[in-house]
Amino acid sequence: MEQLKLRINGEFKVMRPPFISGLTKKKYNELTAKANFLHNEATPEQLDALVGLIVEAYDKQFTIDEFYAGLRMDEFQERIIEFILIAENLLDVNGEAIVRPEDFQEEDFDATPSDTDRTS
């Protein structure tokens, strides 16, 4: 994850990087079974649970309320999405994409439509 900087008590505090454990992934999977966070279909309680998981991943260097209050709204959304992408194993903890376009071979892409048996 990009360096997390929260405004706490009027001062900016830089957090140590998160640790995404197997337990974090398990808890994340339990949360996503009930809510679709990427499509903003979470209740306030479900979002609190996700933020709580982020707090755990950061070894409780801050509270849920400090996370909410310490980021501008756009940064808040970016951090939520970034955490989700890491939990989904699409980004590493440094914010680098795990799957890159150059990882695919040309033959991985089949442009043949799936309904080719249809007659015109």
Side-chain angles (χ1 to χ4, degrees), residues 39-84:
H39 291 98
N40 296 323
E41 296 173 357
T43 66
E45 294 79 17
Q46 291 167 329
L47 186 57
D48 284 349
L50 181 63
V51 171
L53 192 55
I54 293 170
V55 170
E56 285 182 33
Y58 275 92
D59 292 324
K60 299 182 181 178
Q61 298 174 73
F62 50 89
T63 66
I64 292 172
D65 287 342
E66 287 171 336
F67 186 80
Y68 277 110
L71 294 168
R72 287 190 330 259
M73 188 59 193
D74 60 327
E75 291 174 329
F76 175 81
Q77 291 174 325
E78 286 176 23
R79 293 304 180 169
I80 295 290
I81 291 169
E82 186 177 41
F83 180 80
I84 290 168

Side-chain angles (χ1 to χ4, degrees), residues 2 4 16 29 31 42 49 51 62 69 71 76 84 89 95 98 101 116:
E2 190 178 300
L4 179 60
R16 290 184 314 272
N29 288 343
L31 290 176
V51 171
F62 50 89
L71 294 168
F76 175 81
I84 290 168
N89 206 33
I98 291 176
T116 56

Side-chain angles (χ1 to χ4, degrees), residues 20-51:
I20 311 295
S21 67
L23 182 58
T24 302
K25 176 64 175 169
K26 178 183 180 231
K27 290 179 179 180
Y28 171 77
N29 288 343
E30 291 169 356
L31 290 176
T32 58
K34 299 173 186 169
N36 186 337
F37 296 102
L38 286 177
H39 291 98
N40 296 323
E41 296 173 357
T43 66
E45 294 79 17
Q46 291 167 329
L47 186 57
D48 284 349
L50 181 63
V51 171

Side-chain angles (χ1 to χ4, degrees), residues 94-109:
N94 298 316
E96 298 290 324
I98 291 176
V99 178
R100 296 178 183 89
E102 59 268 18
D103 294 336
F104 294 99
Q105 301 297 320
E106 190 173 321
E107 57 269 7
D108 291 335
F109 299 97

